[in-house]
Amino acid sequence: MVLTISAHLEWDDGHLFLLQEKINTYLAFLESGEVFETYPDSKGREFKINILCKYEPTASAMWFISQCTDIINQAGVRFGYEVNT
């Protein structure tokens, strides 16, 4: 199951903060088990959080994405991003 975050803003500190808040919300949704209440068929499935970016990430955004990847993968959830201009 893929949970997608739309990142349509230019990359700056404000955008990174908003993105962090969204990611934390998605992780809480998964880790609390609420996902199974909302989507009962998701039991036993692999989860991924994917960021769909409008703009190519800057160097600081890539660092942020790298940190998120490490932390989220350790939580047992896949993480990725793609640029869709």
Side-chain angles (χ1 to χ4, degrees), residues 3 24-36 38-39:
L3 303 174
N24 288 340
T25 299
Y26 279 40
L27 279 175
F29 178 69
L30 296 173
E31 291 177 339
S32 71
E34 184 180 348
V35 65
F36 303 122
T38 306
Y39 302 102

Side-chain angles (χ1 to χ4, degrees), residues 53-84:
C53 309
K54 181 175 182 178
Y55 303 102
E56 195 69 40
T58 62
S60 61
M62 286 305 301
W63 179 86
F64 173 81
I65 290 169
S66 173
Q67 296 299 307
C68 288
T69 301
D70 292 344
I71 293 166
I72 294 168
N73 286 345
Q74 289 176 12
V77 177
R78 291 184 15 218
F79 183 79
Y81 80 98
E82 55 188 281
V83 179
N84 195 11

Side-chain angles (χ1 to χ4, degrees), residues 1-2 4 8 10-11 16 19 21-22 25 33 42 45 48 51 53 55-57 61 63 65 67 73 78 81 83 85:
M1 171 179 246
V2 178
T4 302
H8 62 281
E10 293 278 349
W11 292 102
L16 291 176
L19 196 53
E21 291 295 312
K22 288 181 183 180
T25 299
S42 67
R45 297 179 80 184
K48 178 180 182 181
I51 302 172
C53 309
Y55 303 102
E56 195 69 40
W63 179 86
I65 290 169
Q67 296 299 307
N73 286 345
R78 291 184 15 218
Y81 80 98
V83 179
T85 56

